[in-house]
Amino acid sequence: KYNLTTKWEAEDFLGRLIGEQKSLDTKLKSLSHMLSRGQPTFIKKDAWDLLVEQEVVMQKYDEILIKRIKISS
């Protein structure tokens, strides 16, 4: 196998990671804000519980992306 990764490809990869993390961060902040306001009456408990679980998973994914960015910089 040959390592064909150029400096440009590495920078492009890092840029994509950073973009993905920023996008996720925006969505996570929005979800967290919504959850902090409490469960509205039009969202069923099962759906609300899934949103809470989704927030936890998104937080973990955000942590992973940040770590990947740090080791790729």
Side-chain angles (χ1 to χ4, degrees):
K1 293 182 177 180
Y2 297 112
N3 183 358
L4 300 177
T5 303
T6 64
K7 182 179 178 187
W8 178 83
E9 289 170 328
E11 289 171 356
D12 188 47
F13 170 75
L14 182 58
R16 287 194 312 270
L17 270 180
I18 291 169
E20 184 174 350
Q21 190 277 324
K22 285 182 179 181
S23 175
L24 176 64
D25 186 60
T26 299
K27 293 173 185 174
L28 179 55
K29 284 178 181 174
S30 178
L31 177 60
S32 295
H33 177 71
M34 184 193 80
L35 292 175
S36 72
R37 297 173 68 184
Q39 181 180 346
T41 56
F42 63 88
I43 297 180
K44 294 179 181 180
K45 182 172 178 0
D46 291 346
W48 184 258
D49 291 345
L50 287 172
L51 288 170
V52 172
E53 185 177 346
Q54 178 179 330
E55 180 188 33
V56 172
V57 172
M58 288 172 74
Q59 288 169 339
K60 184 62 180 174
Y61 185 41
D62 191 49
E63 292 170 11
I64 290 169
L65 286 175
I66 290 169
K67 288 177 184 178
R68 289 180 64 200
I69 290 166
K70 285 180 182 177
I71 65 171
S72 297
S73 298

